[in-house]
Amino acid sequence: MRTDQQVTRALRALSVAYFVQAVGALSVIGSLEPIGREWRLSNAEGAYLMTAFGITFALAAPLLQVLLGHLHRQRQVLLGLCVFGAGALLFAAAPTYPVLLVSRIVMGLGAAFIGPVLATLGSSLVSSERQGSAIAIVLLGLSVAGLAGIPLSSWVAYQVGVRSLFLVISAAAFATALLIAWQVPNQSEGQRVAVSTLVNLLTQAHSLSVFGVAFFVTASVYTTYSFIAPIVHDFYNGSAHDVSIALLVLGVAGVTGNLLVTRLAARHSSDRLLVGSMSVLAILMLALGAGPRSLGWLFLMLVMWALATDVIWPSQQRRVIEHLAEYRGAALALTAAFVFCGIGGGAAVAGWVYPIAGFTGLLGASFALMVLAVVCMLISAKRSPLRAAVI
């Protein structure tokens, strides 16, 4: 039997894996300009690197659980980290844009084996009454990535070079694999997801509309967020230092949002929290479009943006569990797929809209996608056996 201290170390190792995956996945956002300079790419071409990652994750996450979900979960994470690290190494050495795209596809494939498994693996290490705390420790890696990892990666890309950044990410992935092999026991058995379950969830209007909320709200957020670096430069006359500050503001506010949603979740339904936070985001989009071209104003808006989005993410996960309780495992895996598809889709929309319509166009596209998320929410609430109240 493992002691509490050993379990805590194992959970912290899994948290490190989440940190590495999040930084490797999202570091492109704060590094669009260094990537563009290194490979002579436009911002749109750089954004498509996010799209390649997101779409790969979205397609691979459920399929890997169908094909290889029977493997022990520790082995799944180790395999994912090694593939992820190899993709980051390929990115650092890439001579051309097509190779860059392949590297992001490889990283997305590795991440599809990491993200959907970490929380389940962590919760399997403790008793049922401690699973909530265990998952919170594992997810801390995401918060720390937003608070420090992504702003730091932007700084490294600008000051040292984007190739060096991805060398560090690659080394971190392989080192984390060794840490998990050492600290995390190989005792949690995997479970295949039946193809029939996926087909059932993807062909019912109720479940599809539940996933649609996750897709459209994520696409809405990332349509604007993906171009945060060009926005700071082009519309607020900011420097590379200001880009890092903007990402840091988002990270600090995001940690505060995590604390806020813990309190709100005990008092309000997931539907009420989603409607409230989505409404706040829609108002912020309008305020950013109509507000002054001042970095102080942008940073203030980003604080509220991060608080709202950090209420959205756990609330939509909670809503999936409430609406699709009998398919919990498969539903959460598909939710992760739709979220990353939303990230990739949002980045693709941004890459198409920004060169044509600029910041105002991004905000308009984000607003339209948020409206579609609300439509999906209304449909899922109407078709739910729970007859969940939207407000």
Side-chain angles (χ1 to χ4, degrees):
M1 180 177 291
R2 296 174 66 84
T3 66
D4 287 347
Q5 199 172 36
Q6 289 174 318
V7 170
T8 299
R9 285 199 297 267
L11 293 173
R12 287 174 178 168
L14 296 176
S15 183
V16 171
Y18 244 135
F19 172 86
V20 171
Q21 180 199 305
V23 172
L26 300 177
S27 57
V28 167
I29 290 173
S31 310
L32 282 180
E33 293 209 359
I35 290 172
R37 287 198 304 267
E38 183 69 27
W39 284 278
R40 298 181 180 178
L41 308 177
S42 66
N43 285 328
E45 289 172 318
Y48 294 148
L49 296 175
M50 277 298 302
T51 301
F53 181 97
I55 299 300
T56 300
F57 186 106
L59 295 174
L63 290 177
L64 285 174
Q65 291 307 306
V66 170
L67 298 173
L68 299 173
H70 63 284
L71 296 177
H72 279 64
R73 293 191 174 99
Q74 186 232 42
R75 291 182 181 176
Q76 292 185 45
V77 173
L78 293 178
L79 179 59
L81 283 167
C82 290
V83 173
F84 191 81
L89 186 61
L90 180 60
F91 191 108
T96 61
Y97 183 59
V99 178
L100 275 182
L101 286 171
V102 170
S103 74
R104 291 297 286 176
I105 290 171
V106 174
M107 291 182 73
L109 186 63
F113 238 154
I114 303 170
V117 176
L118 285 174
T120 306
L121 176 55
S123 64
S124 72
L125 300 177
V126 299
S127 58
S128 58
E129 61 271 14
R130 295 177 57 195
Q131 286 182 354
S133 298
I135 292 173
I137 293 174
V138 175
L139 292 178
L140 183 62
L142 288 174
S143 297
V144 175
L147 175 63
I150 295 171
L152 181 60
S153 70
S154 176
W155 182 88
V156 170
Y158 276 96
Q159 302 300 323
V160 183
V162 71
R163 291 184 187 272
S164 297
L165 169 63
F166 277 85
L167 277 175
V168 171
I169 291 171
S170 176
F174 289 120
T176 303
L178 291 174
L179 178 65
I180 287 177
W182 176 36
Q183 294 288 351
V184 180
N186 187 24
Q187 65 186 34
S188 178
E189 295 185 4
Q191 185 176 14
R192 287 184 190 270
V193 174
V195 175
S196 59
T197 300
L198 294 182
V199 171
N200 191 34
L201 287 170
L202 291 173
T203 54
Q204 292 185 1
H206 172 227
S207 52
L208 263 181
S209 58
V210 171
F211 298 139
V213 176
F215 171 79
F216 284 115
V217 77
T218 305
S220 173
V221 169
Y222 275 85
T223 293
T224 298
Y225 178 56
S226 295
F227 269 55
I228 187 66
I231 288 168
V232 169
H233 284 298
D234 299 342
F235 286 85
Y236 294 93
N237 297 316
S239 64
H241 178 68
D242 294 322
V243 173
S244 295
I245 292 177
L247 293 170
L248 182 61
V249 166
L250 285 165
V252 172
V255 172
T256 305
N258 284 335
L259 299 175
L260 175 66
V261 73
T262 301
R263 293 177 177 272
L264 292 176
R267 301 180 182 180
H268 302 286
S269 69
S270 59
D271 283 334
R272 187 182 295 272
L273 290 177
L274 273 174
V275 169
S277 53
M278 289 160 67
S279 299
V280 169
L281 274 180
I283 293 169
L284 289 175
M285 291 168 193
L286 297 175
L288 279 167
R293 299 291 176 85
S294 161
L295 279 171
W297 173 256
L298 174 65
F299 293 157
L300 176 62
M301 294 295 100
L302 290 180
V303 168
M304 291 186 282
W305 181 287
L307 290 174
T309 54
D310 267 57
V311 173
I312 285 176
W313 306 138
S315 298
Q316 63 146 3
Q317 294 278 78
R318 175 182 162 197
R319 189 172 188 268
V320 169
I321 293 172
E322 290 171 355
H323 280 251
L324 304 170
E326 61 182 304
Y327 301 109
R328 176 173 177 163
L332 288 175
L334 282 173
T335 300
F338 274 87
V339 165
F340 272 87
C341 194
I343 291 174
V349 170
W352 175 65
V353 170
Y354 189 80
I356 299 171
F359 186 29
T360 303
L362 290 186
L363 293 172
S366 290
F367 190 89
L369 289 164
M370 189 63 72
V371 171
L372 290 174
V374 173
V375 171
C376 286
M377 190 170 179
L378 292 171
I379 293 172
S380 61
K382 183 178 180 180
R383 291 180 174 271
S384 171
L386 302 174
R387 294 293 187 267
V390 174
I391 58 173

